[in-house]
Amino acid sequence: MKLLELLKSRYKQAEKFTKDNFIEDVERSIFDYEAREMNLKEIVASTGDAITRRYEFTIPLIFTNTEAMKASMFDRLPDVIFTGRGSKDEEKKDKVIAAYEYIKDKLDLETFSMEAAHWFILNGFCTAHIGFKSETYEVPAKDEMGNPMLNEDGSPVMMTLYSYNDPTIETGDPLKEYWSPESEFSVDANKVPYYFKKKLMSKEEVKR
């Protein structure tokens, strides 16, 4: 079996498994969370009863409870706690704290935490994906005097700079991720043989 055929086959299996066992529940949870009022036509279409239900109204109870739980879970991000006795422990502590503060700001961990908490409270399950991204661009190099540097043929010497060179983290979209039927819950996903993720990409991203 060719690799593309194998991927298509596994994708169909994962899509069916996830839709049947998870996505339908997620869609229902989102609908309940949004607490959208149905108009009369929608009520008739879903229940066939326009008399007794036309006077009902929706209370956003799930929305209220979810938001309250999110607020209580993440009043602030966790602190880093150190216990050390070595002579260089204080220096190491300062470096770790500086790195942690940088990561919190660069990756906007507060927003990530709230998104992860939202899906976990609403659905009882969420995913997170970490990576490392490097994006570069080139500019003409200059010497110490600020003059352009040239190659032997007269062309400018180019130097590479980074527009981004840091870790990445994002919460998964439970409506756009499909899991292997053999998957089992695990914190580090080591019990997930494979999964697929739908993502809208530009031509430039695909080429990279």
Side-chain angles (χ1 to χ4, degrees):
M1 180 181 293
K2 295 181 179 179
L3 178 58
L4 181 58
E5 293 176 349
L6 176 61
L7 288 174
K8 287 182 177 180
S9 174
R10 289 192 171 182
Y11 174 80
K12 289 181 180 179
Q13 294 178 36
E15 182 182 39
K16 184 179 186 309
F17 168 76
T18 310
K19 283 184 174 181
D20 292 346
N21 294 278
F22 184 58
I23 289 183
E24 289 183 1
D25 291 338
V26 173
E27 291 174 339
R28 177 63 183 176
S29 296
I30 293 173
F31 181 84
D32 292 340
Y33 171 83
E34 293 176 346
R36 182 175 61 84
E37 293 278 3
M38 290 193 296
N39 59 42
L40 187 57
K41 289 184 178 180
E42 290 175 318
I43 292 176
V44 173
S46 62
T47 67
D49 185 356
I51 304 300
T52 59
R53 299 201 57 179
R54 67 190 305 174
Y55 301 106
E56 293 183 5
F57 60 94
T58 302
I59 299 175
L61 180 63
I62 294 177
F63 171 87
T64 303
N65 290 344
T66 300
E67 295 303 311
M69 292 179 68
K70 284 160 60 176
S72 63
M73 286 179 66
F74 288 100
D75 180 42
R76 66 176 187 174
L77 289 172
D79 293 322
V80 180
I81 300 175
F82 295 86
T83 56
R85 300 173 182 172
S87 59
K88 296 184 178 180
D89 285 344
E90 193 65 27
E91 179 182 350
K92 294 177 182 177
K93 172 184 174 181
D94 292 341
K95 290 181 178 179
V96 171
I97 290 178
Y100 181 51
E101 292 299 323
Y102 175 81
I103 292 290
K104 281 201 300 184
D105 179 64
K106 191 69 178 181
L107 304 187
D108 192 5
L109 291 186
E110 288 190 6
T111 298
F112 164 78
S113 298
M114 292 303 294
E115 290 177 351
H118 175 84
W119 289 121
F120 186 80
I121 294 169
L122 195 60
N123 303 315
F125 175 79
C126 69
T127 62
H129 306 282
I130 59 174
F132 194 94
K133 181 173 68 175
S134 292
E135 294 181 347
T136 62
Y137 62 98
E138 292 190 338
V139 298
K142 296 182 179 180
D143 60 22
E144 296 179 354
M145 302 298 294
N147 298 316
M149 300 176 63
L150 302 176
N151 294 308
E152 293 181 358
D153 61 359
S155 61
V157 174
M158 304 300 290
M159 62 183 299
T160 300
L161 299 179
Y162 288 93
S163 58
Y164 193 95
N165 191 42
D166 282 291
T168 60
I169 188 168
E170 63 177 355
T171 51
D173 186 337
L175 297 176
K176 296 181 179 179
E177 293 184 338
Y178 305 122
W179 304 89
S180 161
E182 296 81 17
S183 298
E184 296 181 28
F185 176 79
S186 52
V187 175
D188 57 0
N190 64 357
K191 295 183 180 180
V192 179
Y194 62 87
Y195 77 97
F196 294 89
K197 179 171 64 173
K198 279 187 175 181
K199 181 180 179 181
L200 185 63
M201 302 176 67
S202 65
K203 291 181 179 179
E204 290 72 21
E205 289 178 306
V206 173
K207 289 179 181 178
R208 286 202 299 266

